[in-house]
Amino acid sequence: MSRNAFLRRLLGSIFAVFICSALFGLAQAKTIESVSILMAAPFADATQDLVQQFNNEHHGEIKLNVIRGPLETEAMSDLAISSLLLGKAPFDALLMDVTWLPKYAAAGWMEPLENYFQQGDVESLAKGAREGISYNGHLYRWPLTSDMGLLYYRTDLMDQPPETPEELVLVSQSLQQNQKVNWGYVWQGRQYEGLSCVYLEMIDGFGGDWLETRSNQIGLNSTPGIEAAAWLQALIDQGVSPKAVTNYAEPEALQSFKVGDAAFMRNWPYAWAELQKIDSAVKGNVGITTMVAKPGHSTATLGSWGLTVLKGSSHIDASIEAIRFLTSDSAQKQLFQKYGYTPTKRSVIEDPELLEEFPILSEFGKALEVVKPRPQTPLYAQVSDVLQRQLSSILTGEKTAQIGMDVAASNTDQILISAGDRQ
């Protein structure tokens, strides 16, 4: 074979190898699925390490990208809905608040998940974490974190927490009279979603129901509904809670309790870690329980965030893979240890090593057993806004509890009628 012929054959072979390699690389590149999840800012920040771990473990297969949304829940919801209304959203999955589920499901925005998560998966969740994951017979939302309303109390001021609303008031007044604290009880009284959560615990604790969604029975102006609103109003009138509580959200209530101004506080699990910091005046002297209620009845508003896959996504299987990773035992342990997010799986809540390091986890688990979800209706935002407005007018003394709750019930009824959910 001549030298030129040899060189031509060699160059041809090299070229063939190059072409094959390039084609192989393109084929590989095409198999890498890019999955995007929209999350509220705190969760996007908290899951950064997990996203990196996922991408390292799935290198060349799936690339997970978390889109950092707004900080506030309402702003996050507005962004998500705006994206979905425009057509195909620029993300495959969404981390959603528990109250969004009925609205998103009714709009047909979510992919049913029952073919991806079996009954055994559901049973692995804590009892309370199973609430708010399904709607109209379909599984749509897989919980990333658990959240529940809690009553925090000062263990240096009492041997055990009060068990009824009346007892909370009596203990508060006694401590105030003895100048142990300035205020008995601080909570979320501002006109926003937190106030709805506070009221839900009280109407449930008094034996009533805000809105029974199966029958659309409204309980706001029932005897328990009026009693719940009147009790909250009386806390302010009697000086057990400061008048300024009508401007309190979670941070303001936390600050008051953290500096030692109050004996009791209603807040979420995240507050526990804040109360253990070096700048906390009550560090080491805090206990938690569920909200006080009528004898034999415990209650806690369910609050949680869960992951859902959007209908029309081109990467459903890859999105499910990412969701399973982000909600795995190891991921939940990491989110709890680093950021205080309450786990959703029984195996993590009952983990002996975790309980030894964080005994408070046992109390979170007990509270998760008695959670109460807010009304599961696509109209939740509207009915909650009605409730907040009327409660605010009651707390500020503009209306009596009876009048305010009559208006709230009437306006809620009109919303349901307008939507065709009530005759």
Side-chain angles (χ1 to χ4, degrees):
M1 182 183 298
S2 68
R3 178 182 176 84
N4 287 340
F6 174 78
L7 288 174
R8 284 196 299 271
R9 179 171 291 187
L10 179 60
L11 288 172
S13 299
I14 293 173
F15 184 75
V17 170
F18 174 78
I19 292 296
C20 288
S21 298
L23 291 173
F24 181 72
L26 286 172
Q28 277 202 316
K30 288 181 180 179
T31 63
I32 299 177
E33 294 192 71
S34 180
V35 174
S36 294
I37 303 177
L38 176 63
M39 295 188 184
F43 298 101
D45 296 339
T47 55
Q48 281 185 353
D49 290 345
L50 292 172
V51 170
Q52 186 175 351
Q53 290 174 33
F54 179 88
N55 286 332
N56 289 339
E57 292 182 16
H58 295 78
H59 181 69
E61 299 173 357
I62 304 173
K63 175 69 166 62
L64 176 59
N65 175 50
V66 167
I67 302 171
R68 191 176 190 271
L71 174 66
E72 299 295 333
T73 301
E74 289 79 6
M76 177 67 184
S77 177
D78 290 342
L79 173 61
I81 290 175
S82 298
S83 300
L84 291 163
L85 287 174
L86 288 173
K88 186 173 175 59
F91 43 90
D92 300 283
L94 171 67
L95 181 64
M96 66 186 326
D97 181 77
V98 65
T99 62
W100 303 357
L101 173 61
K103 182 173 184 175
Y104 284 57
W109 288 333
M110 297 185 296
E111 182 74 23
L113 303 180
E114 53 263 27
N115 291 332
Y116 303 95
F117 292 92
Q118 307 306 313
Q119 186 59 33
D121 295 318
V122 174
E123 291 174 357
S124 73
L125 299 172
K127 179 183 176 182
R130 300 174 201 171
E131 298 281 357
I133 63 174
S134 300
Y135 185 73
N136 280 349
H138 288 290
L139 175 67
Y140 286 113
R141 177 179 169 276
W142 198 250
L144 176 72
T145 67
S146 298
D147 227 356
M148 71 294 292
L150 298 169
L151 179 66
Y152 289 79
Y153 65 95
R154 294 274 298 277
T155 57
D156 58 327
L157 300 179
M158 63 198 81
D159 294 328
Q160 60 184 27
E163 295 182 354
T164 66
E166 294 80 8
E167 190 179 344
L168 182 146
V169 170
L170 290 174
V171 173
S172 294
Q173 291 175 331
S174 175
L175 291 171
Q176 288 175 287
Q177 289 166 7
N178 291 318
Q179 298 184 338
K180 298 291 186 180
V181 289
N182 291 326
W183 307 109
Y185 178 41
V186 290
W187 40 284
Q188 294 78 53
R190 183 187 299 175
Q191 186 181 311
Y192 81 118
E193 183 59 28
L195 180 55
S196 293
C197 294
V198 168
Y199 179 79
L200 175 65
E201 288 164 357
M202 293 319 303
I203 188 173
D204 190 51
F206 276 93
D209 204 345
W210 171 359
L211 174 63
E212 210 297 305
T213 49
R214 291 182 182 178
S215 63
N216 280 327
Q217 186 69 35
I218 302 167
L220 297 176
N221 61 344
S222 65
T223 298
I226 296 168
E227 286 179 344
W231 186 77
L232 292 172
Q233 182 187 45
L235 291 173
I236 300 171
D237 292 345
Q238 296 170 5
V240 172
S241 300
K243 290 186 182 296
V245 81
T246 56
N247 290 314
Y248 279 17
E250 286 86 358
E252 291 78 17
L254 175 60
Q255 181 60 25
S256 177
F257 189 78
K258 188 175 181 179
V259 299
D261 272 352
F264 302 101
M265 172 185 69
R266 189 270 177 200
N267 220 311
W268 305 93
Y270 85 95
W272 174 261
E274 292 295 321
L275 296 172
Q276 309 312 309
K277 291 184 176 179
I278 194 169
D279 64 339
S280 171
V282 296
K283 180 182 179 181
N285 293 310
V286 179
I288 65 167
T289 185
T290 48
M291 191 56 203
V292 292
K294 291 298 184 182
H297 192 84
S298 297
T299 185
T301 298
L302 172 66
S304 73
W305 289 80
L307 291 155
T308 186
V309 180
L310 301 185
K311 189 174 285 294
S313 167
S314 303
H315 311 288
I316 294 178
D317 289 339
S319 297
I320 296 295
E321 184 75 16
I323 290 173
R324 282 194 175 277
F325 181 89
L326 293 173
T327 59
S328 64
D329 284 28
S330 60
Q332 290 198 7
K333 287 180 183 179
Q334 183 172 320
L335 289 173
F336 176 69
Q337 291 171 314
K338 284 190 174 183
Y339 304 99
Y341 289 124
T342 307
T344 64
K345 298 182 71 174
R346 287 186 289 108
S347 56
V348 180
I349 295 172
E350 297 169 1
D351 182 88
E353 293 183 4
L354 209 56
L355 284 169
E356 184 175 357
E357 185 178 1
F358 303 97
I360 195 65
L361 182 58
S362 175
E363 298 303 317
F364 291 163
K366 291 176 184 176
L368 195 53
E369 292 293 306
V370 296
V371 291
K372 174 81 172 181
R374 282 159 280 180
Q376 293 184 296
T377 167
L379 303 169
Y380 177 76
Q382 293 95 312
V383 300
S384 180
D385 182 67
V386 162
L387 175 61
Q388 294 162 32
R389 290 175 184 275
Q390 296 309 313
L391 281 174
S392 183
S393 70
I394 293 168
L395 298 179
T396 55
E398 296 176 19
K399 295 176 182 174
T400 64
Q402 177 75 62
I403 292 173
M405 299 320 288
D406 279 343
V407 174
S410 176
N411 290 350
T412 300
D413 190 46
Q414 288 302 311
I415 290 171
L416 298 177
I417 292 172
S418 298
D421 288 352
R422 193 176 175 89
Q423 299 296 322

